[in-house]
Structure formats: structure tokens, C-alpha cells
Amino acid sequence: MKRILIVVLLVCLVVGSINAAGTTETAAGGKKVVRMWTFLNPEGATSGRNLALKKIIENFESQHPDIDIVVEPQQWDVMTNKFFAAHQAGNAPDVMWVISYDLGSAIEQGMLADLESLFLNNWSTQEIQDIDDSFFRWGETNGKHYQITHSRNYFALIYRKDLIEKFNIQFPFKSWDAMVQAAQKMTGIDQTTGIMRYGLGQSFGLGKVDPPIFTYDALTHQEDIFNADGTANWTTPQMVSAVSRMSDMVKKFKVTPEEAVNFDIEDVYQDFMAGKYAMITGASVRVPALRAGANFDPNSIEIIHYPGDGSTPFGTGLFSGWAVSVWSKSKVIDEAGMFLEYMMSPEADKLWVLDGGQVPIRKSTITSMKDFFEKPENEYLKITAEGFADYCYATPTAFPIPSWREDLNAVAQDVIYNNTAPRAALEKMQNEFNARVGK
Amino acid sequence: MRKRINLGPILIAPGFIFIFMFLIFPIFFALGMSFFKTNFLQFVGFAGFDNFIRVISHTETMNSIGRGLMMSLFAAAFTMFVGFWVAYWVDSRSGFFAVLLQLIGLVPWVLSMVVGALLWKWIFAGDLGLLNTLFRALGLPTINPLGSKISAMNSLIFVVSWRTVGYSMVMLLAGMKTVPKELEEAAMVDGASLLQRIVHIVLPLIKTPLLVSGITVLMSNVNNVTVPMVLTGGGPVNSTNVVALALYRMGFVNNQYGMASALATIVIIINVVLIAGYIRVVKWKF
Amino acid sequence: MEILNKKRNNKVFLVIIEILILSLFLTLNIVPIIWGVLTSIKNPRDIAAFPPKIFNFVPVFDHYRTVIAGGLFRSMMVSVRNSAVTIVFGALIASVTAFGFDRYRFKGRKLLFFCVILGIPLSVGSSALLIPNYLYMVKMGLNNRIFTLPILYITYNLPMAIWILKGNIEAIPISIDESARIEGCSDMYIFSHLILPLAKPAIAAASLFLFIGSWNEFVTSSVMVDSPHLRPIQLSIYNYLGFFGREWGPLTASATIAIIPILIIFTFLSKLLISGLTQGSVKG
């Protein structure tokens, strides 16, 4: 018995030490190691963003043989929390993909290095022009920039072109009412699959959340959903009527099923692919995946901006993305800065577009890849870029805005399920939010 | 006569070092956090009982504690009930079918929790869910288990207990194997019914595994974030917002770590009270 | 005659009920698993299709390929290594501790043993303890090391293992120790050559709990390790609940692969497990 135990122990130790090679942080040969936390996993990647990242890292490492980029993929939903804790503990990664709604907090707490001191001061004005847009200015504090936004995302309306054409609907929609009417036309039993199809799919469940549709409705008609002092601005007449309209969508016009109360966005995407919805509130980054899984003509899936209110051609969507930054206390801060700079170089940008299906970071990439963007299947990328430029709301970073999307979805649930009056529901949530941020 | 060193304390030392250093002490460390005001994990000042007061005065959070305990108790009770009967059945049989049943009963316990919860969500989904597809094929009306407050809670209780039946089955089965068959046979000869045999012979003799597994399942349910998060997201309208979920959101979504620690302290105290109850019984048997 | 018929009918009725209930139990347990396995071999369009396709699709093994290329086997090896270390050291420490509790009398023995029993439910953990635990481990420099997870897994499963082994050792008659001592054997000899062999079934039982506890553990490992080289198998599965959506195919494929080792081990160990939990330990 003793002998068996000893043998087993030795085997474990041997197996263990063989695997131990990859766990030390100091690479052999005096190379500098730059650690990056992201949800992407370049290992063994054969397609998509993972492949783009893999190629970008390979290119960078071959150009800088003394630098080793180590990607440590993390769970996207707790990764930024872990980063905050790691910053406290002193072992945060050198390059970090910060989630959009925590960007403000990260900057405020001094966790991110400013890009000016890293490389931006060496850029010509022309080069800065190339990347200057609302994403670049996101989180700008005192003239300094702290992140480069990757995986840029546009929250707008994803629709099925085949159904728009089939029902002879005037498109694009001239107003929100027109959009709801169109949804009504497209609601009905689908002949081919026998599914009850709804005109407008959305979700109010709190599992995985996106901002609810009334957010965009309100933003199209009002300035901001937050006040300059960080309190919520949710009891305006525009918000109230937006919530009423959403409630009507479910109860009066029946273009959205009541069960949306317990769906989360993943369910909506999945059911859209099965053919349950004609249009859905959705994110631009999901279009390729939707096309890959659709049980109808994939090329009919497109994205469009929300309707305007008459004075503007289109309404307001939301932009989001991952704020890629350098840890302020990184021991290899210069090398990390170099990699961050490389990740948005013209060649890297091309890879993000071609392999990753992303909208480019640089304006020069858009012009140099004109033919690519003219292709019909990439129309959605063009619309997305248009949205970023003209029809987008950027969530504030000057103050913390924790769980605002959950709160607004909770308002939707309250109104639809409990039949609470819109204004009362909004007021209740507004007070809750303000109390939480201590105002 | 050589003096004998009492080896006892030396022998139990390694085990205790582990338990104390990595289980007990971190809990105290975490509880300590509840007395500080935190701003993104930076301790910005002593808060005394401030965090506790804020937690207690927040109705929704207090409600979530009630819901969490209720859900856990019902799920644990259901688990133990089903686990008991399956174990009893397997105990009286032997051979291939018994092993197969054990294996099948075990699968939910060993399957990745998030995958299990997601699969049930798919089954329970409204229009396109598997259950409704079956109902439609049978000509039955469709249902929406996750769409209303009460049925959502029932669905949650069901999935949570589905997951833990395997564990209770294994523990109770082991306990039943110690019950000598002759006792039950003698009782049968005397004319005792099945129920009487179970209540007067089997249950008392498996008291300890029953209680240990029951309490472990209960605590596992109380702390279960994955299933409520994935299955219902806490909805509709907070009807399934159990304390584990509220706790997770407080810490990881709202970054209110001080308050989250305070809430965790309260939950741990409640749990300890429950455990103290069962320790009295174990102590009695020990 | 009537009474006999009635009795027979009753019996048949009961048997039918028995079969129905057991079938229900089997179905409820199996259906989600079967659906998961089916999903793992469908292409993305078939996964999203409605009406749900049960048999009328062409199986593809792409998801398994994706999952393996993404490093699942390496994660599996990491989990195997973590579990092996957890089992070996966990069983060893648990047996030594249990032996110490049972065969020796010292001050505070009962109190300390209650602490152990208390540890069983406390090991379940709470999400609020996650970040404090992380800070604690980092401050001690113990996170993201090769032994981080084994140490934590051993700790979390030690109370249960100790309890199982103590019960078993309790049942071993002390006369064995006494006769050995009379012949001049040392305590350590008694432990390693007499007690341990007799405790084999309990060691098997404790090993199974240690194994499942370390193989299926997810929460702690997601926080305590960063490097891909230390990533255990559950983390690889969760990886497919990506930011860009649930990848049902790879998710179910990796989950299917992950439960196979446990089922294999349980099949072989089940007899040993039951008798191990039996001998004395689990007595009411």
C-alpha cells in the first residue's frame, strides 16, 4: 500500500513538473513578457476574431523578437471585476480589455495609463485624425486618452429584408409609429415553419442584458438619460412616452410576445435564427453569427438605424465596445504600449476587418478597403460605421453607471408584468439607481 | 517505560492547517470587509455597521433572503425525498439495473451546472421550447413555465433539486446498506406496512447521512448563483431573485463589495444557526 | 378466490406504478443530457431550427474538432493532474487526521472534530467570498501557481473526507492496534500497515468525493488562475458562453467530453464506494 502511494505520488510530481514549464512568468532568454486579459482565445483559432488576434500577435512578435505576448483568456463578465481586484493586489495584466460600463471607474481609480505618454505624443496630427472619432474620445479626461476601443458594437435594429419585401413595407421607417405598424404587418403565422412570428423581438429578462428598446426611443427625442452630476434622468416625458410605446408593443399591438419578460437577448437571437421574429433589437457584431445559424435566407439579415422623429432621418442607437488599455502599474509599460499601438496599426486593422468581421478603427482603412465594404454582404458594416459616426449615444464615463441596463429592463418588466404606470415605474428605478450611486 | 508523546495533535495538524488557512481564515477576512466602506475594493473608511444597516433596510434584498431560503428548503426537501426513494429501490435490488439507475441518477450532479441549467431553459422556453413542442404534438395546450411568478419559482426549485438528487441518492444508499435486512424482514413478518417500516426502522438508522447530505444540499442551494441566473435571471419581476443572485449582482455588477460582504455575513449567520441545529443531533449520535 | 384476485390486482397495480415512476425519474434525468449530446453533433443551422430536429439531421463533428483545437485536452490534463494531486494528498491527510482523531485522546478533541464537520457545509462557499478569497490568495502570492487549485480543492473537500474516514477507522477494532503494540510495533507502522489497508473502501469513497469536488469545480478556478496552462476543464467549457453569444455546439461538445471520466470512474468504483461509505462511517 505504501509503495503504491509512493509510486502514485512520484507520477503526479513528474506529470506536474512537466506541465510547470508554462506557468512561470519570466520567459526564457530574457524576453519581456506582456500579459493581456481578454475574452478572445487565439489558441488554435481558425476563424473570426480569435484568428485575427492570433495573426496580429504573430506579426508583432516577429517584428519584436524580444517581446512575448501572453494572452490569458478570461470570463468576460467577471474579468473587469477581477482586474479591479488584481490592481489592488498588484498583479494586474499589462494590457486589459475593460468592459464598457466600468471604463469610467477604471479611469477614475487611476488603473489605466494615459496613451499620450505611451505613444500618442509621437503621432502626427494627421495620424491622430485617422483614428479620431467618438470612440477615441470615449473616456477622454483632461485632454488625455486612456483606451482604444476594439470590438466596436452598434445596438440598432436587425431585420429581415425578405419579409420587408414580401409585405411591401416602406423602408426605411420614417418614424417609430411606422416601425410598429410595419411590425404589425409582419406578425402572423409563418407559412413555412408554422411558428407564430412576431414583428419585433426584444427581451426584458435580466440574465444577459442589453439596453431595452425604449432607451433608444427616448434618446432619439431627448438629450441624455443621465444628468451631468451622475444621477439618472429617467422621468422625462420622452422616457415616459417611450416606455408607454414599448408597453403598447406588447399589449396593444402584440408585435412582441409577453414572454419577452423572461427572455434574455441570447434567447431572442436564437429564436430569430429559427424564424420567430421579423425584426429584433440587436447588436451589429452578431450579424455574422446570425447569418451562420439562420434557418432562412442568411443574406436577408441586415441592420438599420432606429427611426428618427421627423427632424432627423434616423434615431439614436447605442455604441459599445471593449476599452483596451494599459495597466498604469505595469512593469513592462512601454512594451505594452507598443502592442496596444500595433493592435490598431493599418495592417492589424485590416485583419480585424477581414478575419474578425469588425468595423475598422481607422478611417484610412475604410477608404483603402472600399471595394470590400461595397459588397452587399458587408452592407451591415457600412451601416454600422454610419451609425458610429452620426446616430450613436455614448454612455458616460465621467461617473459610475452600474447596472443601468438591468434597471431599465426591470422597468420594462414592472410595466408589462405588474401593469405599473410608466412614470411610477421609472421614478422608482431612478430613485433606486441614485441611491446606489450615493446621490 | 518510555514516555509516549501524544501523537494525536501532531497527526491532525496538517489537516487543520489546510482547513484553517484556506477555509476558515479567508471567511473572517471577507467578513472583515463588511465593516469597511469600499470604493472599488479600496477601503475608503471604516463604516461600522453602516453596510449592514443599508442591507437590512433594502426591502428587495431582505425579500431575496426569504426567497433564497424558501427555494433552498423546498428544493432540498424534494431532493432528499426523491433521493430516498430511489436509494430505497436500488437498495432492494442488485445487479445491472441497479447500477444503471445509480449512474443515471448521478449524471445531473456531475454535469456542468451551467450546461444543465441552459438545457432546462431550452426545454422550458415558451413557443419554441422542447416541452411545448411535445405538448403541441400531443395536442395539449402550450405552457410558459418561466413566464409567471409562481411557475418560475417552481421551475427553479425543480431544476435545482434535479441537480442534487444524485448526491443525496449516493449518500442515502450508503446509509441504507448498513440497515440489516433482517430487521425489515422481521417487521414485515409482524405485519408492518411499508410506511411503518420506513418511518420506524430505516429512517432512524440513516439519520446521520440524511442530515449531513440534507444540510450540504441546503447550503449548496442557498449559494447557487448559476441556476437562478441562467434559468430565470431573477425574474419575472424579481420573483425568483434569490439571495445568492442578489449577492452576486451587488458585488460583481454594482461593485458594492462592502455591502455584499455584509449581506454574505448575514447569510452565513443564518446558515450557522441552521447548522447548529443539526449539530445537536449529530452530537447526540456522536 | 375474490380475495386472491384482489391481492394480485393490487400487486400488479403497484408494479405498474413502480415502473411508471421509475421511468419518469429516468426520463427526467436523461432527456436534457440526450438533448445536449444531440446538440453537440448538429451544425449551427440545425441547432437553431424549429421544429427541433431530433433525428432528422446530418451529424457533424466540427464542434468536437473546434473544442479540441481550442485546447480542451490540455485542460483535461490539467484537471486530471489537479484531481490526482487532490486525491492523493487529500486522502493521505484525511486518513492521518482521522486516525489522529479516533485513536488518540487529547484536549479539545470533540470541539475540533465539530469544526471539521462544520467545514462540510461551509466549503460550499458564497459568491461574496470570491473576491476576498482572491485578494487573500494574491497577497500570499499563492494564486495562479501550479499548486493553487489543488491546495484549495483539498481544503474544500477535506472535511467530508475526514468524516468518511473517521467513521471507517472507528469500526476497526482497537484490539488490532493493541496486539500490534504488544509485539512492539510503532504507531506509524500500525497506521500504514494495519489501519490503512483495512480502510481501503473508505479511502475509495473519500477519493470519489475529492475527485468530483475538484473536477467539477468552476467558481474558484475561474478567479484563482489566469494562465491558459493552468486552466481546468470546466473553465474551458464556460469559455463557450462567450461575449458574442452562446456557442451551443462547442458548449455541449465540451460538456459531454467532461462528464465521461467521472462516469467511468464511478462505474468502476461504485461497489467499493458503497461499501466504503458503509463500514461504520455512515451509521445513524
Side-chain angles (χ1 to χ4, degrees), chain A residues 151-345:
Chain A
S151 214
R152 301 180 174 192
N153 202 2
Y154 180 43
F155 288 98
L157 194 67
I158 294 180
Y159 66 97
R160 284 178 58 173
K161 205 160 65 175
D162 57 340
L163 292 177
I164 297 279
E165 284 165 6
K166 180 169 164 191
F167 288 93
N168 282 324
I169 294 175
Q170 200 191 24
F171 193 80
F173 306 120
K174 296 277 185 245
S175 66
W176 280 74
D177 287 325
M179 180 178 82
V180 175
Q181 277 166 27
Q184 268 184 299
K185 271 199 189 160
M186 296 192 277
T187 302
I189 305 267
D190 184 300
Q191 299 309 326
T192 35
T193 57
I195 305 178
M196 173 61 191
R197 183 182 54 236
Y198 289 90
L200 184 55
Q202 41 185 323
S203 69
F204 309 119
L206 297 184
K208 193 178 182 201
V209 293
D210 272 350
I213 203 174
F214 66 80
T215 320
Y216 313 117
D217 191 351
L219 282 168
T220 302
H221 302 98
Q222 80 179 49
E223 263 308 312
D224 202 332
I225 49 174
F226 294 103
N227 297 317
D229 62 355
T231 51
N233 184 27
W234 296 346
T235 46
T236 58
Q238 294 91 341
M239 275 293 251
V240 174
S241 65
V243 173
S244 305
R245 197 205 306 272
M246 173 211 70
S247 169
D248 289 342
M249 284 181 196
V250 178
K251 297 185 186 233
K252 195 159 120 187
F253 302 113
K254 301 200 192 294
V255 296
T256 302
E258 281 234 13
E259 337 158 57
V261 161
N262 54 267
F263 283 159
D264 63 19
I265 43 155
E266 295 296 336
D267 301 321
V268 172
Y269 286 129
Q270 190 168 340
D271 290 346
F272 178 71
M273 289 195 284
K276 183 167 169 176
Y277 302 112
M279 308 188 285
I280 57 172
T281 58
S284 60
V285 293
R286 296 295 196 111
V287 171
L290 290 175
R291 286 180 180 164
N295 276 273
F296 44 87
D297 177 19
N299 293 320
S300 61
I301 300 181
E302 297 289 351
I303 194 169
I304 188 67
H305 318 291
Y306 283 108
D309 63 347
S311 56
T312 49
F314 290 111
T316 311
L318 190 88
F319 86 50
S320 180
W322 286 84
V324 186
S325 331
V326 171
W327 184 37
S328 55
K329 297 201 200 151
S330 164
K331 297 196 175 61
V332 287
I333 203 167
D334 294 317
E335 286 76 7
M338 284 164 73
F339 184 61
L340 186 63
E341 192 181 8
Y342 184 74
M343 274 206 282
M344 60 162 160
S345 63

